[in-house]
Amino acid sequence: FPMTSRAIINGSVTSGKTPVVEYKEQSASSWQTASDVTVSGTKFTATLTGLTGSTTYNYRVSVDGVPGAEQSFTTVAAAELPNGGFEDWSEGYTQSGNAFQVPNKAGEAFWGTGNEGSMSLQSIGNVTYPTSESVSGQAALLESKYAIIKLAAGNLFTGEFGFDPDHTLDGQLTFGRPFTSFPTALSLYYKYPSATIDQIGQNVGSLADLEGQPDMCHIYIALTDKQYTIKNWSGNNGNYRQLFDKDDSGIIAYGEFISDESTSSFQQIEIPIEYRANRTPKYIIIVASSSRYGDYYIGGVGSKLWLDEMELVYE
């Protein structure tokens, strides 16, 4: 199973035998030996690491010093994250009049925000917007604000924002953009002065106990088989609410960062991505929020999350 910087080789051997798995770039003369080989009964799995994307490799399996036939595979290309530096924002939009959008450099949609929803409440405007207070160029600033009757958390995600057709004051989001590569981490710079949680939504159960505690920022990445529809209307005792479940069977890989610690300067972090299945992703989901429980309209007014220089890492 070829990935981008790794490949997984599965096979069978005679019970009691330990195979030696070797590999090399197709044009290379010397072989490397895989150090990560596990044997269970007559089945073995070898993980080849340190590979380069878009490259053809040969491999062979030896038992008792006798090498088998050479076989080959080609690794998957390393895909970049569009507009991960948040330099490009839609032209002609102003904070006071229209919702900021974050296109990629080709002008195509990739990132989404809840600005269209917050702009419908003219008293608060955009909750996600560009700022020159950055590591380089511009950064994205996500801010939690009070929206007359509930909290609007600053948010940024790969996907699209829309209004719930049944509850037009609430959002209906689509998470996921097409993606078929295999990153091993998400790297970024962030800054986060946390506010005290002073807003609690309706029908949130025990989460109401968070009032008075420090707010938390939340950043996560998922590689998935499908897109996800998110609905956060809190009526019907919260039973209508449809949120992202990180344990869903459609998730191939996942990583997250949660913090309630306030920072006064940009910090660089790397979020490891843990793979749960050997399947090729169809979509990438990256979500960031200035209030972790913003989907429940829970958070602290004034919590701000700066994001800059976000990129995918390949081992």
Side-chain angles (χ1 to χ4, degrees), residues 34-314:
S35 58
D36 186 0
V37 180
T38 59
V39 180
S40 177
T42 60
K43 304 293 184 181
F44 75 87
T45 298
T47 301
L48 316 183
T49 59
L51 309 183
T52 302
S54 302
T55 303
T56 300
Y57 288 83
N58 286 3
Y59 71 94
R60 64 188 182 188
V61 180
S62 301
V63 178
D64 293 335
V66 180
E70 289 186 25
Q71 301 185 68
S72 65
F73 61 84
T74 300
T75 52
V76 177
E80 295 184 357
L81 192 62
N83 199 12
F86 307 114
E87 301 299 327
D88 301 298
W89 299 74
S90 291
E91 296 181 1
Y93 287 87
T94 65
Q95 235 180 306
S96 59
N98 294 292
F100 278 113
Q101 303 296 329
V102 196
N104 65 23
K105 289 186 177 181
E108 301 167 348
F110 185 79
W111 296 101
T113 75
N115 281 340
E116 188 176 350
S118 64
M119 283 299 300
S120 66
L121 302 169
Q122 292 295 323
S123 61
I124 66 168
N126 290 285
V127 293
T128 299
Y129 48 92
T131 175
S132 59
E133 188 176 346
S134 64
V135 175
S136 175
Q138 294 194 109
L141 177 52
L142 289 56
E143 181 178 359
S144 296
K145 299 181 179 182
Y146 182 61
I148 302 178
I149 57 174
K150 57 191 174 185
L151 181 90
N155 58 87
L156 184 67
F157 56 91
T158 56
E160 297 181 358
F161 175 87
F163 288 101
D164 190 324
D166 299 319
H167 307 280
T168 55
L169 291 179
D170 293 273
Q172 178 172 301
L173 286 59
T174 301
F175 282 177
R177 293 295 190 186
F179 186 85
T180 56
S181 198
F182 296 87
T184 54
L186 178 68
S187 175
L188 60 104
Y189 287 85
Y190 87 101
K191 182 169 64 170
Y192 185 64
S194 169
T196 299
I197 294 175
D198 55 6
Q199 300 298 319
I200 301 292
Q202 297 179 335
N203 301 315
V204 298
S206 61
L207 292 177
D209 296 337
L210 292 170
E211 187 171 8
Q213 298 184 27
D215 204 356
M216 294 171 279
C217 65
H218 192 192
I219 305 166
Y220 63 86
I221 178 171
L223 306 178
T224 71
D225 287 329
K226 61 182 182 180
Q227 294 177 306
Y228 291 82
T229 299
I230 307 301
K231 300 181 180 182
N232 51 20
W233 183 61
S234 58
N236 294 339
N237 294 321
N239 293 326
Y240 182 88
R241 191 182 284 123
Q242 182 176 311
L243 304 181
F244 183 77
D245 179 6
K246 67 180 182 181
D247 295 317
D248 186 82
S249 61
I251 297 175
I252 296 167
Y254 185 80
E256 67 180 347
F257 172 78
I258 300 168
S259 178
D260 64 0
E261 295 185 9
S262 290
T263 63
S264 58
S265 60
F266 279 95
Q267 309 291 317
Q268 185 177 22
I269 58 171
E270 195 168 283
I271 303 173
I273 301 172
E274 179 182 348
Y275 282 80
R276 304 172 178 176
N278 294 332
R279 304 196 303 270
T280 299
K282 296 180 181 178
Y283 299 96
I284 185 171
I285 296 172
I286 299 175
V287 177
S289 176
S290 54
S291 295
R292 179 187 181 186
Y293 293 106
D295 286 334
Y296 295 89
Y297 303 116
I298 294 174
V301 174
S303 289
K304 295 182 179 181
L305 174 62
W306 278 258
L307 298 173
D308 203 5
E309 302 303 301
M310 184 180 289
E311 62 181 0
L312 298 171
V313 177
Y314 295 85

